[in-house]
Amino acid sequence: NCFISIPTAFTPNGNEKNDTWEITNLSLIPDVRVTVYNRWGDIVFNSIGYEVPWDGKHMHKNDVLPTAVYYYIIEGVKPDCV
């Protein structure tokens, strides 16, 4: 099954509900690359494979990022899977 479903939002507030950006079936694609950018174009999250979903923290500083709009690119997924 290659169908993936990308949520439009998540709430990493520590209440154990919707705390990570769970992209359905993305972990089944081993070479997928996920990159998330802030509004200034800085990379805040990057992974090859998606076994561990993004938790809303900066990948280097481990700081919780503010509520905002973030942009993403997902590479390595066949177009008919989205």
Side-chain angles (χ1 to χ4, degrees):
N1 184 4
C2 76
F3 174 75
I4 65 168
S5 177
I6 305 167
T8 57
F10 71 107
T11 55
N13 58 9
N15 70 353
E16 298 183 13
K17 295 179 183 177
N18 206 27
D19 280 340
T20 58
W21 195 37
E22 299 283 344
I23 302 173
T24 306
N25 293 327
L26 200 59
S27 63
L28 302 176
I29 306 169
D31 296 327
V32 70
R33 183 178 186 120
V34 178
T35 308
V36 180
Y37 303 85
N38 64 17
R39 66 181 183 169
W40 298 282
D42 301 321
I43 296 174
V44 296
F45 176 80
N46 188 37
S47 73
I48 297 174
Y50 201 68
E51 291 80 25
V52 179
W54 183 39
D55 60 2
K57 294 180 181 175
H58 192 285
M59 66 181 186
H60 296 302
K61 300 174 187 173
N62 206 31
D63 293 337
V64 176
L65 294 166
T67 300
V69 173
Y70 294 88
Y71 304 92
Y72 63 88
I73 296 176
I74 299 175
E75 300 172 279
V77 176
K78 295 177 184 174
D80 59 340
C81 293
V82 180

